Amino acid sequence: MDLKIAVLPGDGIGVEVVAAGMKVLDAAVKKSGHKVHAQYADVGWAAIDKHGSALPQATREICRANDAILFGAVGLPDRDVTLPQAQRPERVALLELRKGLFANLRHVVLPRGLASRCPLKPELISAGIDIMIIRELTGGLYYGQPQGIQGAAPNRAAVDTMAYSEAEVRRIIRVGFETARKRRKKLTSVDKANILATSQLWRETAVAMGKEYPDIKLDHMYVDNASMQLLRRPSDFDVIVTENTFGDILSDEASMLAGSIGLVPSACLGEKDARSGGPVPFYEPIHGSAPDIAGQNKANPVGTILTVAMMLTYTFGLLHEAEAITNATFGVLNEGKVLTGDLGGSASCSAVADAVISRL
Ligand SMILES: NC(=O)c1ccc[n+]([C@@H]2O[C@H](COP(=O)([O-])OP(=O)(O)OC[C@H]3O[C@@H](n4cnc5c(N)ncnc54)[C@H](O)[C@@H]3O)[C@@H](O)[C@H]2O)c1
């Protein structure tokens, strides 16, 4: 198979972690005769400096011409502040490249060998942590109209609108059920159905769809309770599905459970894949450009390496290769000899990638 990928390293450590991820990807697929066709493109400040735009036309075209996008990170805080919010690289690039990709998957796993890095007490995590969070990404409070500030100070008023159609709810909950079916068959649907109309629609839809998935144990949780239970009994969660704003907050909270922000991969998926006319799926580690450690070969590449494994799973269906990368990566983490600084080690970003490759 030819794996056609648009590669957008971006700013700061994006460059280093994407190089590590691509090296592991190449090594993993070569073994089974597949070939990576990578087209590199500029994004973020790297693109503003060369082309005057955080997302140049050439980059958009390269993204459209490929089957998946691997993205590093964009933004440099010192330079971001020189631009209005709406023109900052993160806003410009992410909003555009994620258009139509309604399902945001974040996979939070605490490696067995790194339990001491988790901020929770050992007795709370003895059964391990492996949670897939599925956040709705194209609806809800961030996009609902009307939105804005009206009037003059000191008597201004502001409004945001949380809106969801039944079809939008159904398609994301389906991703939840289908994902749970491939894992431990447990789905927690998170809402605020005691207060919000959108959440009442959400819950009714989830309950009705549950009948199509008798093999999945479905439960419902209010978002305030879910934020507490994630810290109280994280091992009980398998798949969580929730709307945009709740998912934004819960997924950041859950990311902390993995022990480092540098360990968590993510995927943004649409209804159809790019080859069938859908938007191009977008894959990125959840961290930013980390300017404090950029350019020093110190960044943890694991989030990007696991992101590449998600790409092999969801876009290319190369499950065997994805599993090989995941197993090799957790082998390195659990052994604890080749770890970057965020995990208490002193290995370089490239040394971690090499250690993963040597285990493939
Ligand atoms: N998707 C994106 O492109 C994205 C996401 C978040 C932040 N950002 C941008 O990145 C810039 C920096 O943001 P920030 O400092 O708030 O968040 P950040 O994630 O870049 O860094 C937060 C902290 O975590 C550490 N860290 C992050 N990733 C790491 C890794 N792989 N290995 C080791 N340590 C790691 C950093 O050194 C820093 O101390 C900003 O311009 C922000 O807008 C971009």
Side-chain angles (χ1 to χ4, degrees), residues 34 50 81 218:
H34 303 292
K50 278 198 215 162
V81 292
L218 169 69

Side-chain angles (χ1 to χ4, degrees), residues 13 73-77 80 90 94 261 284 287-290 292-293 300:
I13 63 166
V74 293
L76 297 170
D80 292 348
E90 217 183 322
L94 294 184
I261 192 172
E284 62 166 347
H287 59 75
S289 64
D292 52 335
I293 55 166
N300 190 341

Side-chain angles (χ1 to χ4, degrees), residues 106 133 246-257 286:
R106 271 191 190 188
I133 302 204
F246 301 162
D248 192 4
I249 298 165
L250 288 183
S251 62
D252 264 26
E253 181 192 359
S255 299
M256 274 304 293
L257 301 173
I286 67 158

Side-chain angles (χ1 to χ4, degrees), residues 221-238:
M221 214 177 263
Y222 296 139
V223 62
D224 38 356
N225 186 28
S227 67
M228 182 176 74
Q229 300 303 341
L230 269 172
L231 304 183
R232 219 178 126 236
R233 46 184 187 89
S235 309
D236 286 355
F237 290 93
D238 176 12

Side-chain angles (χ1 to χ4, degrees), residues 6-9 18 43 69-74 93-94 97 282-285 304 307:
V7 184
L8 279 53
V18 164
V43 71
I69 300 167
L70 178 64
F71 187 91
V74 293
L94 294 184
L97 294 175
F282 178 92
Y283 296 88
E284 62 166 347
T304 310
T307 294

